[in-house]
Amino acid sequence: MANITQRGNTFRIRVFVGTDNNGKKIMKSTTFTPPKDVTPKKAEKLAQEYAFEFERQLQRVHSV
C-alpha cells in the first residue's frame, strides 16, 4: 500500500518494496504534480491513481 502525503501543490508517494539483509525497510518514492486546472479533490484522486500505477510498476520490477 502506498503512502501519499500532500506537500504544498505536490504529492509525495512512498511504497514499501521489501527489506534488506539487515532487516531495514526498503522504500521507493516519487513525486506527483497534478495539472494546474484541477480541483483539490480531483488532484487527490489523480495522485491515488498515480500511486497505484507506481506501486504496480515497482512490484513488477522487484518480483523478478
Side-chain angles (χ1 to χ4, degrees):
M1 186 73 186
N3 179 331
I4 304 172
T5 307
Q6 187 168 3
R7 299 176 59 113
N9 296 335
T10 63
F11 293 86
R12 181 178 68 179
I13 300 166
R14 297 182 72 203
V15 177
F16 171 76
V17 293
T19 57
D20 65 7
N21 294 336
N22 297 324
K24 183 178 177 185
K25 292 181 181 181
I26 301 172
M27 302 291 285
K28 298 290 182 179
S29 64
T30 188
T31 302
F32 172 72
T33 304
K36 294 191 185 302
D37 60 340
V38 297
T39 64
K41 190 70 172 174
K42 179 68 175 178
E44 188 175 326
K45 183 174 172 99
L46 290 171
Q48 289 174 349
E49 292 172 3
Y50 187 85
F52 178 75
E53 285 301 317
F54 180 62
E55 190 170 11
R56 280 189 41 206
Q57 178 185 8
L58 289 175
Q59 286 175 350
R60 274 189 252 127
V61 169
H62 289 280
S63 65
V64 174

